[in-house]
Amino acid sequence: KNGGGMATKNDVLVWAQKHCQNICPLFNWKGDWKTGKAICGIVNTFVGDKFDLSECSFESEDDCIKSMDNAFKVAEDELGVTVLLDGEDMFPEPDDKSVFTYVSMLRGKIITGGFQPKVPLVPYSQQKGKAPSMWEKQQAKAGASAAAQETPKAAAKAATPAKAAPPAKSNSELLREKKEEEAKKKAEEDKKKAEEAKKKAEEDKK
């Protein structure tokens, strides 16, 4: 769409989502690009083995910066895209105009240069013969760690004895409570009658 020329932000975002191997969702030009996953995915799509996506790590800020800088360098060498950004520019928050400008330029070079995808345009995790990537291993490790922390909590909760139900009341206790309730009700009625009698006597005086 729109070839390698002018394209809207949405055009470029849709193109990027299609070619980043779906390793991350892209809905904006700021936070969704921060880790560098999308940049690395797009570069790998068009240079293949010359940029090993499975060896990229995104576990820490330093990992993200290193992976992005490698991707920017390979994109310059293999696709002719001038390096306008470096990994550190993405932290603490990337500038949306700068990211859009770079990705637009990357898209333009790829289209006008006739570069074709060298990997299937399907999610990385679904590509046949692909070993689990470094970031997938990290995610699996984090998930296993979280599950391990939850297991003792669940076991402790299961081991905690349930609160015992209060003992059933005997017939004599029930009878006593009923008499107390009736006496209370009778006292309220007597009080009400006394107040009515007092009110009537005051009206008679008038």
Side-chain angles (χ1 to χ4, degrees):
K1 189 174 181 179
N2 293 334
M6 295 297 293
T8 67
K9 283 188 174 182
N10 188 63
D11 290 336
V12 181
L13 196 63
V14 170
W15 176 88
Q17 181 70 80
K18 178 181 178 181
H19 294 90
C20 75
Q21 302 181 51
N22 203 37
I23 67 172
C24 65
L26 296 174
F27 298 108
N28 58 57
W29 288 102
K30 289 184 74 69
D32 289 352
W33 295 84
K34 182 174 182 176
T35 63
K37 283 185 178 182
I39 294 290
C40 293
I42 294 170
V43 172
N44 173 251
T45 294
F46 290 98
V47 304
D49 293 340
K50 292 180 180 179
F51 180 74
D52 192 347
L53 184 59
S54 69
E55 291 301 314
C56 291
S57 176
F58 307 100
E59 188 170 22
S60 68
E61 182 175 319
D62 287 341
D63 290 336
C64 293
I65 291 172
K66 182 180 178 181
S67 295
M68 276 187 278
D69 285 342
N70 287 339
F72 291 141
K73 182 66 169 61
V74 173
E76 182 178 43
D77 294 343
E78 302 297 329
L79 304 173
V81 185
T82 302
V83 179
L84 298 179
L85 300 169
D86 59 45
E88 292 184 352
D89 292 333
M90 298 299 203
F91 294 89
E93 186 78 4
D95 176 69
D96 57 340
K97 292 181 180 179
S98 298
V99 175
F100 171 66
T101 298
Y102 178 79
V103 178
S104 294
M105 189 168 63
L106 175 63
R107 172 182 177 274
K109 286 285 188 179
I110 288 171
I111 293 175
T112 58
F115 294 101
Q116 297 298 317
K118 294 188 176 181
V119 300
L121 294 181
V122 297
Y124 181 92
S125 59
Q126 296 177 16
Q127 295 174 27
K128 293 183 178 180
K130 287 282 188 180
S133 64
M134 187 175 292
W135 80 84
E136 288 173 324
K137 292 176 182 177
Q138 290 166 351
Q139 289 175 343
K141 183 179 179 181
S145 177
Q149 291 177 3
E150 286 299 320
T151 299
K153 293 180 182 178
K157 185 176 180 181
T160 302
K163 292 183 179 180
K169 295 180 180 179
S170 64
N171 289 338
S172 60
E173 288 177 319
L174 293 173
L175 183 60
R176 177 173 55 79
E177 289 181 357
K178 184 177 181 181
K179 287 182 178 180
E180 289 175 351
E181 187 65 31
E182 290 176 347
K184 183 178 179 182
K185 185 176 180 181
K186 186 175 184 304
E188 290 176 352
E189 290 176 351
D190 291 342
K191 182 179 179 181
K192 186 177 180 181
K193 288 179 181 179
E195 289 175 350
E196 290 176 350
K198 182 179 178 181
K199 184 177 180 181
K200 187 173 185 304
E202 288 176 351
E203 289 176 351
D204 290 343
K205 287 181 182 180
K206 294 178 181 179

